[in-house]
Amino acid sequence: MELSVLLGVLVFLLIIGVPVAFSLLGATLVTFFMMDMPAIAVFQRMAGGMSIFSLMAIPFFVFAGELMHRSGIAERLVRVAEAAFGRSRGGLGQVDVGASMLFGAVSGSAIASVSAMGSTLMPMMRERGYDADYAVNVTSTSAVCGLLIPPSHNMIIYAAAAGVGVSIGELFVGGIVPGILTGATLMVAAWLVAVKRGYPKGEFPGWMAFLRAFIMALPGLFTAIIIVGGVLGGLFTATESSAVAVLYTVAVAALLYRSMGPRAFLDAAIQAVKTTAMVLLIIGSASGFGWMLALLEAPTQLANLITTVTDNPILILLIINLILLVLGTFMDMSPLIVITTPIFLPIVVGLGMDPVQFGVIMMLNLGIGLVTPPVGSVLFVGAAIGKVKVEETVKTIWPFYGALFVALMVVTYVPSVTMGLVNLMR
């Protein structure tokens, strides 16, 4: 009865448009009152969920991404991608995916990626005869790569939710090949759609132009090397690496590129504070909600239900993926990581899957939810930047959904894609 009330209130609040954080908190409080338990326990759980040391990396990574967006680093990455991929049919679509992968390697944020790439590439694509819906679809779906290619602050949330024994450094390494694979499948989809619509070919500017663009973008790209290399080399923790990323980005933007003034720095700080406050409030509310789920033994009941339906590992993994895909369409990524990790991680570990592989699966799976209505925050941001209605993009986004689903299935059923580099590191 209590579990039905908890889930029923949550669904009702989401349907009537209450923000996710307050929906989670409201459902938890109603269930607490129903069980005659003190409400202060909910807020203690919220505070505990937000007081994990590793989560301190989130505001710094978000801040670094905002600084890169406003300091011109994103534009330099676009130039590298255009020189490398721009000559194929519908070359700007390939450029969009490639630039998003590069930006993901230095920001780790899907929202920052779609904002930076959208404001830079969408006007360029429309000027060269590309349809607006194509520009939005490519930019929005390729932003998912930023959730996989390190650094990714959502991987830090997963490591905190998974508990002791899951290395953030290994998660970073595990996301490299799946991130590249996801980008490659999206490039194929972008090319196929471009061929069907008859978009123009680009021109290769020459090796000297490519080399010049690469050298200009290299200081920005070096951010990812510092973060991942420093963590794996034991120079600093993942939390400390986020602060190093901010200091390095400020130094590159202000001293080397000289492209960021006090106003841009202040704007980046304000936006980072807003984003961090939203993310941490969601994490705190999800922690209280997740604790209530555990108290009501929901994880055990769901695990028993899944194993009752089938004991085939392939089907169990497919069911878990489908559940996450459905949940991801109407809930944000951060609370879902906190809530579902304790539920599904014991099941997949029992099947012999490494927690690192499941973390990467979750990043990709829930990333698809970020570009899927009705919530789909990344898709909504992309549509707003491209000045296109979401309904119009959904009609033509299916090839890109197909590419993401193919990548998800490969990452799920071919462990070496994720674990090859991780096992080599171990």
Side-chain angles (χ1 to χ4, degrees):
M1 180 63 182
E2 291 84 358
L3 183 59
S4 300
V5 170
L6 179 69
L7 298 178
V9 172
L10 173 64
V11 172
F12 172 74
L13 292 176
L14 290 173
I15 289 175
I16 64 175
V18 177
V20 174
F22 296 107
S23 297
L24 292 167
L25 180 59
T28 306
L29 284 172
V30 168
T31 310
F32 259 72
F33 291 139
M34 180 181 177
M35 298 173 65
D36 198 24
M37 297 175 66
I40 188 64
V42 177
F43 298 100
Q44 289 174 341
R45 292 290 170 179
M46 287 183 64
M50 293 185 287
S51 301
I52 300 172
F53 177 72
S54 60
L55 295 182
M56 287 182 62
I58 293 176
F60 288 110
F61 278 135
V62 171
F63 190 25
E66 292 293 336
L67 290 171
M68 292 169 192
H69 174 32
R70 286 171 168 78
S71 62
I73 292 178
E75 286 82 354
R76 288 173 171 82
L77 297 177
V78 169
R79 294 191 195 114
V80 175
E82 186 172 16
F85 306 112
R87 54 184 152 172
S88 64
R89 174 73 63 182
L92 281 183
Q94 317 295 321
V95 170
D96 203 331
V97 179
S100 294
M101 293 170 67
L102 294 174
F103 192 76
V106 294
S107 74
S109 169
I111 291 290
S113 179
V114 74
S115 300
M117 297 301 105
S119 58
T120 304
L121 278 168
M122 284 186 191
M124 187 186 305
M125 295 174 78
R126 297 184 77 162
E127 287 176 5
R128 299 189 187 180
Y130 291 76
D131 294 317
D133 64 316
Y134 177 83
V136 172
N137 291 340
V138 175
T139 306
S140 301
T141 53
S142 59
V144 175
C145 298
L147 303 171
L148 298 170
I149 300 175
S152 169
H153 66 259
N154 286 290
M155 286 185 175
I156 297 171
I157 298 174
Y158 169 77
V164 180
V166 179
S167 165
I168 296 175
E170 290 186 354
L171 283 169
F172 282 176
V173 172
I176 294 175
V177 176
I180 295 173
L181 171 67
T182 303
T185 60
L186 287 171
M187 282 185 174
V188 172
W191 177 77
L192 290 173
V193 175
V195 170
K196 182 178 180 180
R197 297 190 180 186
Y199 292 147
K201 285 186 176 182
E203 295 182 0
F204 182 57
W207 287 107
M208 286 303 298
F210 171 77
L211 184 61
R212 188 162 48 249
F214 179 76
I215 292 174
M216 289 299 295
L218 190 58
L221 289 171
F222 202 65
T223 307
I225 299 174
I226 291 175
I227 294 171
V228 178
V231 172
L232 297 181
L235 297 178
F236 37 71
T237 66
T239 304
E240 294 164 347
S241 74
S242 62
V244 172
V246 171
L247 294 175
Y248 178 79
T249 303
V250 171
V252 169
L255 302 179
L256 183 61
Y257 291 153
R258 297 184 180 180
S259 57
M260 184 179 65
R263 184 63 194 177
F265 181 86
L266 183 61
D267 289 342
I270 292 173
Q271 186 57 45
V273 168
K274 291 180 179 178
T275 303
T276 301
M278 177 185 67
V279 170
L280 289 181
L281 178 60
I282 290 174
I283 291 174
S285 300
S287 297
F289 186 86
W291 182 74
M292 176 56 73
L293 283 176
L295 187 66
L296 298 175
E297 299 183 347
T300 303
Q301 295 181 41
L302 183 57
N304 291 337
L305 177 62
I306 292 175
T307 53
T308 300
V309 173
T310 179
D311 58 357
N312 187 316
I314 295 176
L315 292 179
I316 290 175
L317 291 175
L318 182 61
I319 291 171
I320 291 174
N321 268 316
L322 292 176
I323 292 174
L324 290 174
L325 283 170
V326 171
L327 291 175
T329 62
F330 66 88
M331 282 187 68
D332 202 18
M333 189 169 187
S334 298
L336 278 177
I337 293 173
V338 177
I339 293 170
T340 59
T341 297
I343 296 176
F344 294 124
L345 184 58
I347 299 176
V348 298
V349 169
L351 298 176
M353 178 179 288
D354 193 286
V356 172
Q357 183 187 356
F358 183 65
V360 174
I361 291 171
M362 183 170 281
M363 295 305 108
L364 179 53
N365 193 309
L366 299 183
I368 297 173
L370 293 179
V371 293
T372 307
V375 176
S377 55
V378 171
L379 182 61
F380 277 90
V381 171
I385 295 173
K387 299 178 182 178
V388 180
K389 292 182 179 180
V390 174
E391 293 85 352
E392 295 179 19
T393 67
V394 172
K395 294 177 182 178
T396 57
I397 200 173
W398 297 102
F400 301 96
Y401 283 155
L404 290 173
F405 187 75
V406 168
L408 177 62
M409 291 297 98
V410 173
V411 172
T412 300
Y413 294 112
V414 185
S416 59
V417 171
T418 301
M419 300 306 299
L421 289 179
V422 176
N423 290 331
L424 186 63
M425 184 187 75
R426 287 173 177 174

